[in-house]
Amino acid sequence: APSKGGTLTVPVIATAFTKSFNPYIDNLNVVGGMIFETLAFTNVMQGETSLRLAEGYEYAEDYRSITYTLREDLTWSDGKPLTADDVVYTFELAREVPVYDLAGVLASGLVTEVTRVSDREIRFDLAKPDSTVHWDLNRYMPLPRHVWEQASDPATFTNPEAIGSGPVTEIEYVRPQQMEICRNPHYYQEDRPYLNCVRYRAFNDNSQIQPALMNGEIDWGSNFIADVEKTYVAADPENHHYWYPANDAIHLYLNTRQAPFDDLAFRQAVSVALDREAIVDLAAYGYPTANFFPGGIGDYYADYMDESLMEEYGWLTQYDPDRARQLLDEAGYQDVDGDGQRELPDGSELSFDIQVVNGWTDWVQTVLMITEYLQDVGIEANVNAVEWGVYDQSLKEGDYQAAINWSLLSTHPIQTFKEYYHTSRVGQTWHAGHGVHSERVDELIEDFGSLTDADAKQDTLDQLQRFTAEKLPFVPLFSNATWFQYNTSEFVGWPNAEDPYVHPVFYSTGNNTLIFNHLHKK
Amino acid sequence: MTMTNEANAPIVSARDLTKDFTLGGSLLERTTMRALNAVSFDLYSGEALAIVGESGSGKSTSARILSQVHEASSGEVTYRGQPMHELIAQGGKRGFASRVQMIFQDPFGSLNPVHRIFYQIARPLQIHGKVRGKAALRARVIELLETVGLTPAAETADKFPYELSGGQRQRVAIARALAVEPDVILADEPISMLDVSIRLGILNLMMDLKDQHDIAFMYITHDIATARYFAERTAVMYVGHMVEWGNSDAVTQNPQHPYTQLLLAAVPQPGAQKHRDMSQYQHKADIPMWQPESTGCPFAQRCPHARAECSTRLPEVTRIAKDHFVRCYLYE
Amino acid sequence: MRYITSRFLFYFVAFLIAISFNFLLPRIMPGDPVDALFAGSAGQLDPSQMDAIRAMYGFSEGPLWSQYLQYVKSVFTGDLGPSVLMYPTDVTTVLGFTFPWTLFLIGLGVTTAIILGLILGTIAAYKRGNWFASLFPPMAAVLSSMPAVVTALLVFYLFGLKLQWFPMSYAADPSLAPAWTAEYLGSVARHAVLPLLVIVLVSLAQWVMTMRNAMINVLGEDIITMAEAKGLSQSRIMLRYASRNAVLPVVTSVAMGLGFAVAGQIFIEIVFNYPGVGNTLLKAINARDYPLVQALLLLIVAFVLIGNFIADLTYLWLDPRLRK
Amino acid sequence: MTDTSLPIASSRKTPMVPSRLRQLLRNIAAFFQGNMSASIGGGVMALVIVACLIGPFFTAHAPDERVARPHVEPNAEHVLGTTRQGRDVFSQLLHGGRASLSVAFIAGAISTVISILVGISAGYFGGRIDQWLNFAMNVVLVFPQLPLLIVLAAFLGQVGPVVIALLIGITSWPWGARVVRSQTMAIRQKEFILAAECMGESRLRIVLVEILPNLISIVAGSFVGVVMYALINEAGLEFLGLGDPTVVTWGTMLYWAQSSAALYTGGWWEMIVPAVTIALVGGAMALINMSIDQVSNPKLKTGPHIKRWRKLNRIIQAKRQRGAS
Amino acid sequence: MAIQAFQPATDEDTGELLEIRHLCVDYVSPKGMVRAVNDVSLSIRPGETLGLAGESGCGKSTLAFSIARLHKAPALISEGEIRYRGRDVLSMNKRTLRQFRWNEVSVVFQSAMNSLNPVITIGEQITDVILAHCKVRKKEAWRQGEELLQTVGLHASRMDSFPHQLSGGMRQRVVIAIALALRPRLIIMDEPTTALDVVVEREIMDELYQLKDRFGFSILFISHDLSLMGEIADRIGIMYAGKLVELGSADEVFYHPQHPYTRGLLNSFPTIHGPRERLYGIPGNPLNLLEAPEGCYFQDRCERCFSPCRTHDPEMIPVSSTHRAACHELAERTAG
Ligand SMILES: Nc1ncnc2c1ncn2[C@@H]1O[C@H](COP(=O)(O)OP(=O)(O)OP(=O)(O)O)[C@@H](O)[C@H]1O
Ligand SMILES: Nc1ncnc2c1ncn2[C@@H]1O[C@H](COP(=O)(O)OP(=O)(O)OP(=O)(O)O)[C@@H](O)[C@H]1O
Ligand SMILES: [Mg+2]
Ligand SMILES: [Mg+2]
């Protein structure tokens, strides 16, 4: 058996730590998954569900309800039993206090009722048949009713004693710059965790975490650091490692309701004008993976990609400035006044802004490079680095010309497509402002939940991917990297390319639990 | 209570001038000090009136009221019989300035260091439209410089003040005052900052100007000997009051007011015995600060002849000779 | 006494102006704290959740003037509500654990810089014409005209990262429990070295130059010649006669000095991740944490005002001419 | 009489105007002459300004375009190396200098104009006007500027160089105003002002022609001070990411260097070049300011004659001691 | 008072209290060397008052400061000798110099406002000189200070005052009290009353003379007011452009001036009681020491300038046993 003991040091970008252990008010992402666990966790990387507090769950025949069964003899860290009552109580709170409604299942009305079936069984009644609701339900963390009931206002309750269900619950100390939390004596998994404690250390930003990582002060980094090979790995090649699997897909969103982006040929020209490899290499420091898939998803969802799309639309993501020029010429975008910049077919000036958030330097760099590539084919584009507030508003309202933005990363690609296309999301999200929508697509998305057959599901996804490649409302750029550095001088058991047992995101509930429980002393 | 000069009428006469200053910037504590109290005097063309007195006795204040830098709190100044405010209402301050000019104490401070001598003298000529055209202007400036003995004038005109000695600067200041061809010149301690060897040169220059241009001079000084030397008449001030005035010789040779007597006794004289008995004046009291509500004679506390009434009421002016007045109970 | 009262009144009014400015700040500026919270979490939050949070923070409603009175009251009662950035921690609590560090660092730094500046300035004035006096002031001026952030980065890089002589971040080793033990205090001291070095480098010249200039002026005065003529010892002349008088203009320049020190402090705290007010301020700004930004700004203003008030008192103590 | 003086007047008239210019040049020459720190400071400033003005016409690379691999070490092609984004540091330096120096000078100009207006009005008119202006001045003075700037810059959103210049300009006038005010009050007491008043000069002319020229060195000093301050704070604000990162300035160069961790990844030149340049220019201005101080207060000046005195004094003293013993 | 006695050198004691021989003081200025005191020789006897007159910038203060070696950069005593009771002041080491200062020679400066430290109490400024030189306790020093104040006619309670709380005359008295603190043999007074009104000046001068009668010190009295000088000085020296041009008893200088500059100066002061006639003063401007001419420095302003004046520097020529003057005309006359 792996040897026990040790304290894991994890950096957190924080101003200061306070005794605040409410998983639903968790700005620093240090509670979810570590002090509280969910019923189950969908491990996307492995394409499987990892059961946590639940022993299992089951849909009703008609998919109008789902019933979770808790493990036997679960207890809270203070020794009190963890029962279906606690789960029901949690969802009741979520109905009253909006922050607790993490995935919005209650607010949207999808879950109509939460019922305690037995001491260990809870049934969720659904408004309409849905085979995907467990993705959402798996995000909620049951709360100890006997503790929360003491709180005068659950919306601000801090759970100062850190009573929870996760692997670490015993507070060693909380200081503004550091806190240490140790093993839960009543943890449901035998022998776990192997480690004694986790130590969170507060940092200002990545530029400060970098030297700390290099100095070996940190075991588990989830931060962007420049030139990881030369700085981090070089500092201790034996023990310093990193693994940067693909994360969310980053696109250049184009507003198709305005000229020149209302013209598909123009959008296509923009796409082929970009050298994704170079952008990834220079602007994004080479860590992300260039995204050549025109279907709207990135490597993270590689399993769901419709490969056949590549034959027909693969050219769209191949760097080919000549083709771009040709496309533009054919569509009538020509430099009529001889200033080196193309004009619109009607002869008026062609120039647009690409919005980006000020301070997100890799994106600003990316956009700067995009403008350079566009310049090469005679298109004038400018970087417009704005405050988050401005960016947020104009993307949601579709009040932009072009903008760089991410895409939703969740349990399943359908959620991503919903964010792109579903008309209910227009004005609500940053991804739906491009102006390409259709009733057929809405239907596809809405009906997905009621599909039970895997092939049918994939078919829906294929259709959506084809739609994306055809319309090209956004130009795929690259899949972000998952920043993950680990130090093996003391602890082993990290996920890596050889053993990719989970997506290595520290701040993601479930992923962190899985990794933490894997780690043990060398 | 005027100083009469039967021959002609005064060109400027001040009647009962009073000037109050508010002291202290804060709103909470404000005191008013009376820098001038019921001061009257006349200036005559071609004559000088010297005003002597210790520091802070209000000499400059009276000159500044005449030159309109300060406004009198009460009392009236007339110019050729016409009240000053009327005059200003007609011709503006500028018109007034063309008649009354001032020469200041400090030749280093009264010329703007950034302007050439030419500019300093040309300005009053331009302001008051004394000449037309650049050539005439230059000619006039040169002429003025020659008048005050600054030769070679053309070279001097192109210099900056720092290139001149103190005596030369004071001459420039005089030339500047002359430029507007005033009837009255107020000279506020014009030689006190000058070297001894050149003081007399300036005094003599002013004396000549007074005689040749028939200008009325007001000569402020604390040197009673030069007052007698330069001015036909002398007035002695003490704490905002004019205590004795009249013909210079009368005042200096036959002082009547105890303060004048003290002042004259204090003037050093070569060969005089080394100890003079001044003990009667000593350590009696400090010089008071005069306030509007103060009463009596300002010299009462220090006066060896003080009587009870001295501290209750200001004595009236007494004429003790044809041109000799004093404000003291001893002579009432 | 009158002088003290009038100065105090002045600072009080200045503080009220600061409060009003603070009050208006979030109301006239674009941006919303909850949006920024989202920006901070880089896409981790669901939009529906954000609405919930927004409702939870609830900017107080009602006419502006009643909001204003409410605000003034909350400032003077110290009840500034919860911080957005560190929700649900109270703003006052945040100030509680950040301000002492800033006070410590800036107090020590400014004191060191002033004392060093006075000494070096005095020497530079006394030894006019020798190589130290002619080279040092311009050198110090050049050093101090480097932006604090540049100096801080270079010091950080050289002594922290490359040479590893001193720790690079924090106010003390975070693994040590704060206590009055030699170990903890030693750690605090070691962590303070580099930030202090930067503060001193950045602000030294100002004090050197003011002191030197004031000293040169004083040395030219008759009081010094008189003291020398009296046959007093050199040290007595220096300390009792020259420095005492020369220090007066230095005290007057505290207003500017403190302003600069605070400015430098912000960069220094950011570079060295010192858990003080400046560091927190930037984070609060980025998070649009208005309650915290306002409180920090107010705290900084109050600090500078109090520093100035103390300077005024010092001046009063040093210069009997003002005592009335 | 007019006739005789005419020829003198006309012969004198011609050299009058150029001689004023010559006077100015002579003054400037005198300022630098024999003043080491002024000469060094002035030399560096002149060099930097000229380089930034004409340099960009001659640089081989555009400042905002990728022209080589990231972090190419300084070499013949890229004399100061390239940034993490593969841009030429040297041409960024020259182009950025234009923006940075413009910000500094615009801020200096704004602040100087305000401080002259406020300072002279307060000092010359006195009374109520002075009380209010002085109060305003003191209030702005005691407010710590940089935190205020940071907050304003952040809340205004991405601020370009012009906005930064405006912000710094309108917040940094009180110090200059205070000095101008006290100096104006001192000059106002001078008898030449009284003389001008007695002569019937208009108030406007007194302020502009009689007072203002006497403030030149103080105004110049405060201008240089604000320019320096603006340069430093612009860099600071941009370093914090509150500026517009797409505009090349010395501050954004620092920002990019920091955000690409140039110091950690071995691209030290990306950080050091702008840092040292800012320090150099700041230092040069500090030196100029020091020398201007010496003009307004000649006591502060240490000339070579003091050195000479030291030498002579030592010789004489030694001779005497020998004679005595 | 436990003052350490200052040992006079016995070998060279001439009976003079202070003797200055061929003293030259230069200022090292950026534009060149300025000789502010040029070959001045004079002596002060115990108990006498020597007046030194001359206009602004003629080197009076420079001379005075050199005697106590108070000159500072850029002043340089380049030549000459100063002997105090036979001892060479210029070669004294620092310790002896400190003893010499104030124990033997004290100085009263031009204006009291500038020489009293505004931020220190009067008491401290008096006692610190006592404490610096005598081995006494603070209390004793304070008592002595109070006595001193009473000597100059101020109330002992003024010890606790700050300078700004006193009037100009009172401050000047304090300065005199400080000067008397150690009973020096020589007091140098550099224009001690120019900033004061005549009445106050008179009071102070009277008091000073009472004190002089009591303590018997010598005074080097510097002023440009010849009238005052004529009244109080036993002997008078007249300086022009750094040179001593005439030196004699007060009556000799006043009634039989030999140098044209002295005559001109005497002619520049109108009197209050004498005849009222036009006086002529001295034409021209004071000499700029940077442009000193060959020969006599007074040549440009002298009406009786003749050829030797333009080429040769006049020597001091004795007129009587107590009276000397430096003028070529005089040389001609005595020779001829
Ligand atoms: N602007 C002013 N504000 C307040 N007080 C003033 C002002 N001008 C003069 N005083 C006061 O008025 C009194 C008389 O001043 P004034 O200048 O007339 O005296 P003076 O006789 O000219 O003295 P001095 O010989 O020193 O020039 C003084 O006590 C002075 O303090
Ligand atoms: N620091 C200095 N540098 C250069 N020259 C100086 C300096 N101080 C004085 N001088 C020159 O030395 C000469 C004598 O100065 P000093 O002060 O002894 O004159 P003074 O006779 O005392 O004049 P006053 O009556 O004005 O006090 C002057 O011509 C002056 O220009
Ligand atoms: Mg006056
Ligand atoms: Mg002198």
Side-chain angles (χ1 to χ4, degrees), chain A residues 57-305:
Chain A
Y57 57 86
E58 205 172 356
Y59 280 97
E61 290 281 306
D62 57 357
Y63 286 96
R64 296 204 58 134
S65 73
I66 179 170
T67 305
Y68 278 80
T69 311
L70 295 177
R71 289 171 194 264
E72 267 179 81
D73 297 329
L74 281 176
T75 52
W76 294 104
S77 60
D78 59 358
K80 300 252 166 66
L82 192 168
T83 66
D85 279 339
D86 291 309
V87 181
V88 173
Y89 172 74
T90 304
F91 280 89
E92 273 165 10
L93 264 183
R95 203 186 288 280
E96 282 158 26
V97 187
V99 263
Y100 285 66
D101 194 6
L102 256 190
V105 288
L106 295 160
S108 66
L110 181 57
V111 172
T112 50
E113 199 142 356
V114 184
T115 327
R116 173 184 181 278
V117 178
S118 75
D119 233 17
R120 289 172 48 212
E121 284 171 309
I122 311 101
R123 192 184 70 239
F124 297 85
D125 293 334
L126 306 178
K128 59 174 197 215
D130 193 323
S131 62
T132 61
V133 74
H134 64 279
W135 297 338
D136 289 339
L137 293 177
N138 285 353
R139 293 176 59 196
Y140 291 80
M141 291 157 274
L143 299 171
R145 179 177 183 165
H146 63 281
V147 176
W148 252 253
E149 270 176 349
Q150 310 292 320
S152 57
D153 178 10
T156 60
F157 182 57
T158 56
N159 184 23
E161 299 304 318
I163 293 165
S165 55
V168 289
T169 54
E170 303 305 293
I171 304 165
E172 191 68 20
Y173 56 80
V174 177
R175 297 182 199 130
Q177 261 56 59
Q178 187 161 299
M179 67 177 173
E180 207 167 308
I181 311 168
C182 298
R183 170 205 307 278
N184 175 359
H186 297 279
Y187 195 47
Y188 64 90
Q189 274 190 294
E190 293 267 322
D191 286 342
R192 298 293 171 95
Y194 301 123
L195 306 186
N196 272 344
C197 304
V198 61
R199 178 193 292 145
Y200 292 116
R201 192 172 276 190
F203 288 88
N204 255 352
D205 53 31
N206 293 340
S207 71
Q208 282 167 347
I209 294 176
Q210 178 152 10
L213 271 168
M214 286 158 67
N215 281 357
E217 293 167 24
I218 290 169
D219 296 309
W220 179 355
S222 316
N223 308 83
F224 167 79
I225 72 168
D227 218 339
V228 70
E229 284 283 356
K230 262 207 227 159
T231 57
Y232 179 63
V233 177
D236 183 359
E238 280 283 290
N239 295 309
H240 288 183
H241 309 279
Y242 69 97
W243 175 43
Y244 287 174
N247 208 2
D248 51 341
I250 308 297
H251 312 302
L252 182 66
Y253 288 74
L254 307 172
N255 188 343
T256 61
R257 282 167 308 209
Q258 299 182 359
F261 301 114
D262 54 356
D263 183 351
L264 178 64
F266 189 85
R267 303 202 289 271
Q268 289 174 334
V270 168
S271 186
V272 294
L274 305 180
D275 183 352
R276 288 165 180 74
E277 300 274 11
I279 290 176
V280 164
D281 187 22
L282 288 178
Y285 303 86
Y287 307 127
T289 38
N291 187 3
F292 296 107
F293 185 70
I297 49 179
D299 280 356
Y300 185 82
Y301 287 128
D303 291 348
Y304 299 98
M305 282 180 181

Side-chain angles (χ1 to χ4, degrees), chain D residues 94-141:
Chain D
L94 293 182
H95 279 94
R98 278 188 179 184
S100 281
L101 290 176
S102 310
V103 167
F105 281 99
I106 292 172
I110 293 173
S111 142
T112 305
V113 167
I114 301 179
S115 61
I116 289 177
L117 285 179
V118 174
I120 289 196
S121 313
Y124 182 69
F125 294 108
R128 269 288 143 73
I129 298 179
D130 179 40
Q131 275 174 9
W132 282 110
L133 288 177
N134 194 29
F135 176 76
M137 225 180 289
N138 284 328
V139 167
V140 185
L141 190 72

Side-chain angles (χ1 to χ4, degrees), chain A residues 196-474:
Chain A
N196 272 344
C197 304
V198 61
R199 178 193 292 145
Y200 292 116
R201 192 172 276 190
F203 288 88
N204 255 352
D205 53 31
N206 293 340
S207 71
Q208 282 167 347
I209 294 176
Q210 178 152 10
L213 271 168
M214 286 158 67
N215 281 357
E217 293 167 24
I218 290 169
D219 296 309
W220 179 355
S222 316
N223 308 83
F224 167 79
I225 72 168
D227 218 339
V228 70
E229 284 283 356
K230 262 207 227 159
T231 57
Y232 179 63
V233 177
D236 183 359
E238 280 283 290
N239 295 309
H240 288 183
H241 309 279
Y242 69 97
W243 175 43
Y244 287 174
N247 208 2
D248 51 341
I250 308 297
H251 312 302
L252 182 66
Y253 288 74
L254 307 172
N255 188 343
T256 61
R257 282 167 308 209
Q258 299 182 359
F261 301 114
D262 54 356
D263 183 351
L264 178 64
F266 189 85
R267 303 202 289 271
Q268 289 174 334
V270 168
S271 186
V272 294
L274 305 180
D275 183 352
R276 288 165 180 74
E277 300 274 11
I279 290 176
V280 164
D281 187 22
L282 288 178
Y285 303 86
Y287 307 127
T289 38
N291 187 3
F292 296 107
F293 185 70
I297 49 179
D299 280 356
Y300 185 82
Y301 287 128
D303 291 348
Y304 299 98
M305 282 180 181
D306 175 9
E307 294 299 337
S308 67
L309 217 55
M310 287 305 283
E311 283 159 32
E312 204 172 331
Y313 294 104
W315 64 273
L316 276 173
T317 52
Q318 293 306 310
Y319 175 49
D320 189 350
D322 289 335
R323 181 137 193 196
R325 288 187 199 102
Q326 187 194 335
L327 275 168
L328 290 167
D329 287 343
E330 280 167 7
Y333 299 90
Q334 259 149 1
D335 179 14
V336 287
D337 59 6
D339 60 352
Q341 313 280 6
R342 291 173 191 271
E343 275 74 47
L344 287 170
D346 64 5
S348 60
E349 199 197 337
L350 165 56
S351 164
F352 56 88
D353 283 352
I354 306 177
Q355 276 201 8
V356 58
V357 179
N358 193 8
W360 298 9
T361 53
D362 46 346
W363 282 15
V364 176
Q365 285 297 336
T366 303
V367 174
L368 275 168
M369 285 188 72
I370 292 175
T371 60
E372 282 176 42
Y373 283 119
L374 294 179
Q375 186 61 51
D376 278 351
V377 297
I379 300 172
E380 186 188 328
N382 303 303
V383 185
N384 187 16
V386 296
E387 268 309 299
W388 165 258
V390 179
Y391 177 87
D392 170 64
Q393 199 173 357
S394 51
L395 261 84
K396 280 184 185 158
E397 290 174 2
D399 180 22
Y400 60 87
Q401 292 178 290
I404 185 171
N405 197 230
W406 66 93
S407 56
L408 183 76
L409 197 67
S410 191
T411 319
H412 193 274
I414 188 67
Q415 292 158 311
T416 314
F417 283 107
K418 183 177 177 190
E419 289 293 294
Y420 291 145
Y421 297 123
H422 198 271
T423 34
S424 71
R425 302 305 293 154
V426 176
Q428 302 292 314
T429 177
W430 310 270
H431 314 311
H434 47 70
V436 174
H437 307 282
S438 81
E439 272 177 38
R440 186 176 65 87
V441 171
D442 275 1
E443 271 167 31
L444 279 175
I445 292 168
E446 279 159 24
D447 293 344
F448 189 84
S450 55
L451 300 177
T452 51
D453 174 50
D455 286 345
K457 284 183 177 173
Q458 184 60 45
D459 185 54
T460 301
L461 284 181
D462 288 353
Q463 288 188 54
L464 289 169
Q465 291 175 33
R466 181 160 297 272
F467 179 77
T468 305
E470 263 169 24
K471 301 285 186 202
L472 207 67
F474 42 82

Side-chain angles (χ1 to χ4, degrees), chain C residues 142-200:
Chain C
V142 170
L143 258 185
S144 295
S145 55
M146 270 169 64
V149 56
V150 170
T151 317
L153 281 172
L154 296 181
V155 166
F156 174 86
Y157 177 66
L158 189 65
F159 298 108
L161 192 71
K162 273 275 122 109
L163 299 173
Q164 306 217 340
W165 286 356
F166 295 101
M168 294 180 286
S169 18
Y170 304 120
D173 184 343
S175 301
L176 290 176
W180 296 105
T181 59
E183 194 191 8
Y184 185 74
L185 295 180
S187 169
V188 169
R190 260 182 306 111
H191 281 79
V193 170
L194 293 186
L196 276 181
L197 177 67
V198 180
I199 296 186
V200 171

